[in-house]
Amino acid sequence: MDVCSRRDTTILMLILAIFVSISYIGTLPVHRISISHIDEIGDVSDPNADIVSYRSYPEHNYIVLELVVAGIIISDPDSVIPSNYMYRLTVVAKCPGDNRTHIYSCTFKDGVVSQYFLDSEVYNGTLRIFFPFSQFIPDSYMIGFEASAYSVFGYEDLGLEDRDSEIQHLFF
């Protein structure tokens, strides 16, 4: 075997190894993090319970869950009287090869997220909840994002149900 033939064989093997590696890496499951939904304004007569939009996006080691209402997010943690509003942001996840969904429901009322000891912030009509990646059960990947707003006055605004998506893959 001469030098050209050996070099050509080496190059061909490297190209084949790169192709196989990319094919494998491209099928790895990943979180579907950046999700955005718009809700009809005015479908609920109470603006503080009327969802305008909700979205999720990555920020450092968190998935930020953001909810915007037409009015303001009612969230006074120092109030002696509990508020009449509750906001829920729900992360939907699945494990590869399993059709069952895992629901991570984050309920915000009176300035506190009642599950998972999560941090949150409110600015007028926007609520942000910081959901750490460490909250997911092992081999579970985010596939959807849902929102709802409630008032004890009988108003409720339910966002779209987002539970039928498949697990996203890195490239393919």
Side-chain angles (χ1 to χ4, degrees), residues 105-117:
S105 184
C106 305
T107 304
F108 182 85
K109 183 170 173 49
D110 297 326
V112 177
V113 179
S114 58
Q115 298 86 3
Y116 313 112
F117 305 104

Side-chain angles (χ1 to χ4, degrees), residues 50-113:
D50 186 11
I51 297 172
V52 172
S53 65
Y54 52 104
R55 67 185 182 129
S56 63
Y57 54 91
E59 188 174 283
H60 306 294
N61 293 326
Y62 298 94
I63 299 171
V64 177
L65 311 176
E66 185 177 277
L67 172 70
V68 178
V69 297
I72 60 170
I73 299 287
I74 306 298
S75 67
D76 186 3
D78 298 325
S79 177
V80 177
I81 302 168
S83 80
N84 296 316
Y85 295 91
M86 182 178 73
Y87 307 94
R88 180 175 291 131
L89 296 170
T90 303
V91 173
V92 182
K94 281 186 183 177
C95 292
D98 188 354
N99 283 332
R100 294 178 295 153
T101 56
H102 307 279
I103 305 300
Y104 301 91
S105 184
C106 305
T107 304
F108 182 85
K109 183 170 173 49
D110 297 326
V112 177
V113 179

